[in-house]
Amino acid sequence: HRQCKPGIVMQVVEPDYTTFVSEFPFVPTNYQVTAAEAVLKDLQSATPMDRLICGDVGFGKTEVAMRAAFVAVQNGKQVCVLVPTTLLASQHEQTFRDRFANFPIQIGLLSRFKNAKDSAKVIAGAEKGTVDILIGTHKLLLHPLSFKALGLLIIDEEHRFGVKQKETLKALKQEVHCLTMTATPIPRTLNMAMSGLRDISLIATPPARRLAI
């Protein structure tokens, strides 16, 4: 069904993208570069992206996702980042804010740590288009949330979400680009990737001087 739908064709806007990439504080691994290039190619395609990025914790999956998010915002589209836990949502929010600090990109967080007033403000921002990147937990799926111009859905550890939540995700991602990150793909997800239903990028080497977990 997704393959038959026309995708959102995005363009990489220079020199902003090159500037953003150059501000990455580490030396990217060859696997990271290859994965980022594959994602950019998907975003520029007329078919909605459905790519799985598989790599161990700390191997740099999030950097690839942030580069994709940057391109989406460049093209006037919003980004939704869905994570399974409140702690991970807070970590992602801090990482995204640090990485996008030099660019006029608005980032919002929706989790149980946010009170009702702040949550309502973030939801309103997503609906009006003033929030460019929305990071959220399961709470994001509980709201009848409608983005003004959603272009990219990033899912971290999809296997941590239940069946009901996955059905909601299916409806959310029908015509938008979808990027899934995982360190431990479940057999169903891996089978979809290996059989060609989803594209897959591996990040198999750690960054230089990375300490073991």
Side-chain angles (χ1 to χ4, degrees):
H1 180 69
R2 279 173 54 80
Q3 289 289 328
C4 295
K5 291 276 187 179
I8 303 165
V9 180
M10 298 184 183
Q11 301 297 327
V12 177
V13 182
E14 298 290 4
D16 291 351
Y17 179 73
T18 302
T19 302
F20 178 76
V21 170
S22 68
E23 290 181 358
F24 183 48
F26 306 99
V27 177
T29 63
N30 291 334
Y31 281 101
Q32 276 182 297
V33 172
T34 303
E37 288 173 350
V39 169
L40 286 187
K41 189 175 179 181
D42 288 345
L43 292 176
Q44 295 174 82
S45 166
T47 305
M49 173 174 68
D50 195 358
R51 182 170 292 274
L52 171 71
I53 296 184
C54 185
D56 204 350
V57 177
F59 275 35
K61 300 186 295 294
T62 305
E63 172 61 20
V64 176
M66 287 191 289
R67 293 184 184 189
F70 185 82
V71 172
V73 175
Q74 273 189 318
N75 284 264
K77 298 297 180 181
Q78 292 171 289
V79 181
C80 176
V81 183
L82 193 59
V83 296
T85 66
T86 304
L87 178 61
L88 195 54
S90 299
Q91 289 175 342
H92 272 322
E93 182 199 23
Q94 190 59 54
T95 302
F96 272 71
R97 288 193 185 282
D98 290 344
R99 193 71 176 85
F100 289 92
N102 295 328
F103 298 89
I105 293 175
Q106 296 300 314
I107 298 169
L109 175 66
L110 201 60
S111 75
R112 63 185 176 87
F113 282 170
K114 293 286 184 180
N115 58 42
K117 184 179 178 181
D118 289 339
S119 295
K121 190 175 178 181
V122 170
I123 291 170
E127 293 173 347
K128 291 177 183 176
T130 54
V131 172
D132 299 307
I133 300 174
L134 178 56
I135 301 167
T137 58
H138 301 72
K139 190 175 181 180
L140 198 149
L141 299 175
L142 299 176
H143 295 276
L145 193 60
S146 59
F147 289 85
K148 184 178 180 181
L150 182 64
L152 174 63
L153 175 64
I154 299 171
I155 307 171
D156 198 5
E157 301 296 353
E158 184 187 31
H159 64 275
R160 299 278 295 275
F161 296 96
V163 175
K164 191 174 180 181
Q165 291 152 343
K166 281 176 183 167
E167 289 302 312
T168 306
L169 285 176
K170 276 184 188 176
L172 190 64
K173 74 178 189 179
Q174 267 192 15
E175 295 176 30
V176 303
H177 294 291
C178 183
L179 186 64
T180 306
M181 302 184 292
T182 183
T184 51
I186 56 174
R188 181 181 61 84
T189 301
L190 196 57
N191 181 58
M192 288 176 72
M194 300 307 288
S195 64
L197 285 172
R198 303 174 81 166
D199 294 310
I200 184 169
S201 291
L202 298 177
I203 299 181
T205 56
R209 296 189 299 276
R210 172 181 173 272
L211 297 175
I213 299 171

